[in-house]
Amino acid sequence: MNVISVLNYKGGVGKTTVTANLGADLANRGRRVLLIDLDPQASLTFSFYAADEWDAQLRPAKTVLHWYDSFNWSQSQKPLRDMVTAPPRINARLSDRGGRLDLIASDLGLVDVELDLAAGLGGSRYQTFNPDYLKVHRMLADALADDEFDEYDVVLIDCPPNFNMVTRTAVVASDHILVPAKADYLSTLGITYLRRRLTQLVEQYNGVAGPDPEASINPEILGVVFTMIQYAGSGLMTKLRGYIERTGQTEVPLFQQGLRESKNVFADTGELGIPAVLAAHTTENVEYDLTQLTSEFIAKTGI
Ligand SMILES: Nc1ncnc2c1ncn2[C@@H]1O[C@H](COP(=O)(O)OP(=O)(O)O)[C@@H](O)[C@H]1O
Ligand SMILES: [Mg+2]
């Protein structure tokens, strides 16, 4: 099982779009996929469930909020497995190659979880001294280590647009980080900052975890995926690569495949419960971008 966080501290850069489409395409190609929505905005959840379905079927007892909320500083939590759902429309739409798409839904209440977790550790500055530092940071990693999750080939985590506690639990649980970014100069600058924050977290965590290599983490940046590309000319990707090189971080891997902008295709995302890659109204170009991205993802991860 490979755990991948889809992460950028910026909102509106295509994290949820990438997570939903990659997940759906992987499942359609026969992979057993678990998506986890950690963003309180719950856009990933609403890409698969209508608001009233969520309200009636998920909100009462089947969201990641219930799991985080059950975190007790001295005892163990509710099993994460209890929060897993199988969105019906997308699963009915998948090919018969044995794949499936499960989801752990989100809830707006997750914003309060952030505050509680951070406060429980004594605020952001001094938390490394807190005896619960590892336990809290590892909570998602430990939950996903449960045998019940062995049945998945891949777990994709849609992170909130920040680097707070919930995001940190996702990073600690991850083998890889996938970074969607808008294809423009300012966004390439943001990648430097994101990378620095990631390095800081990994060093801090490993410092607390101690010298045992079994206990340390090493989530690697799988790559930056450029989204919402407006193809004004063919040189855009070259230009973006130039920006990245000039910010002195040639070591950040980039996906060859980007996602072009298409307001028509992506505007009604979620309404049908089927991501664009498998939706009937998708244009050939958009479908090409999305499936190429999946193929590149498979090549990079071996999933
Ligand atoms: N390639 C694209 N072309 C046009 N609109 C897009 C594209 N990708 C995403 N969008 C739209 O942009 C908005 C933000 O995307 P989203 O995936 O929700 O970003 P994030 O999860 O980073 O906040 C959404 O309304 C989405 O439908
Ligand atoms: Mg989102």
Side-chain angles (χ1 to χ4, degrees):
M1 185 184 75
N2 209 319
V3 182
I4 290 132
S5 280
V6 181
L7 173 64
N8 192 322
Y9 63 91
K10 289 189 178 193
V13 298
K15 292 183 295 298
T16 300
T17 304
V18 167
T19 310
N21 283 284
L22 199 51
D25 198 12
L26 286 167
N28 196 47
R29 296 185 193 200
R31 307 306 195 280
R32 295 157 305 173
V33 180
L34 174 65
L35 303 182
I36 305 180
D37 189 356
L38 292 188
D39 189 344
Q41 288 178 58
S43 303
L44 184 68
T45 301
F46 295 126
S47 304
F48 296 101
Y49 284 96
D52 57 342
E53 290 171 328
W54 173 83
D55 205 38
Q57 300 164 27
L58 306 181
R59 192 183 55 80
K62 266 185 181 284
T63 69
V64 79
L65 173 65
H66 291 284
W67 180 75
Y68 277 104
D69 259 351
S70 72
F71 182 77
N72 179 307
W73 296 85
S74 55
Q75 290 162 17
S76 60
Q77 288 154 287
K78 285 182 183 164
L80 186 60
R81 187 82 188 91
D82 289 358
M83 305 305 159
V84 176
T85 68
R89 280 179 297 279
I90 179 64
N91 278 290
R93 177 75 180 72
L94 297 178
S95 73
D96 55 7
R97 277 184 271 174
R100 72 164 202 270
L101 189 76
D102 285 350
L103 171 74
I104 298 181
S106 189
D107 185 301
L108 187 61
L110 215 49
V111 282
D112 299 325
V113 167
E114 288 290 0
L115 301 176
D116 293 347
L117 288 179
L121 286 181
S124 62
R125 294 252 214 118
Y126 304 107
Q127 53 180 240
T128 49
F129 301 114
N130 191 297
D132 284 324
Y133 176 94
L134 286 178
K135 187 180 174 216
V136 173
H137 280 77
R138 289 196 56 83
M139 63 199 282
L140 190 57
D142 288 341
L144 290 172
D146 191 299
D147 286 351
E148 307 225 37
F149 290 99
D150 283 351
E151 63 189 89
Y152 295 104
D153 298 307
V154 59
V155 179
L156 297 175
I157 307 175
D158 190 17
C159 292
N162 60 49
F163 217 80
N164 299 342
M165 281 311 303
V166 169
T167 303
R168 292 162 72 97
T169 62
V171 170
V172 168
S174 296
D175 303 294
H176 292 107
I177 311 289
L178 192 156
V179 184
K182 276 195 178 176
D184 57 47
Y185 174 65
L186 290 176
S187 299
T188 60
L189 291 182
I191 295 166
T192 318
Y193 178 72
L194 179 68
R195 206 165 151 271
R196 201 177 303 147
R197 293 302 301 260
L198 271 172
T199 307
Q200 274 171 0
L201 171 59
V202 171
E203 284 174 358
Q204 186 193 61
Y205 180 93
N206 288 342
V208 178
D212 177 8
E214 286 285 297
S216 65
I217 56 166
N218 182 28
E220 292 180 60
I221 298 186
L222 190 63
V224 173
V225 178
F226 286 116
T227 62
M228 304 178 209
I229 299 173
Q230 291 169 313
Y231 282 103
S234 58
L236 179 80
M237 291 302 273
T238 315
K239 218 161 148 187
L240 290 167
R241 268 166 225 282
Y243 293 154
I244 296 235
E245 277 161 23
R246 262 178 282 149
T247 56
Q249 44 174 335
T250 42
E251 69 272 42
V252 178
L254 303 182
F255 275 78
Q256 289 291 332
Q257 185 63 47
L259 302 178
R260 78 193 70 207
E261 172 155 81
S262 171
K263 292 248 157 64
N264 280 342
V265 172
F266 290 103
D268 55 2
T269 288
E271 221 180 301
L272 309 165
I274 312 268
V277 68
L278 295 180
H281 70 294
T282 302
T283 64
E284 228 173 85
N285 282 340
V286 170
E287 190 184 334
Y288 174 85
D289 287 356
L290 290 168
T291 51
Q292 284 293 113
L293 180 66
T294 309
S295 299
E296 195 177 348
F297 176 89
I298 290 172
K300 277 179 186 281
T301 56
I303 287 165

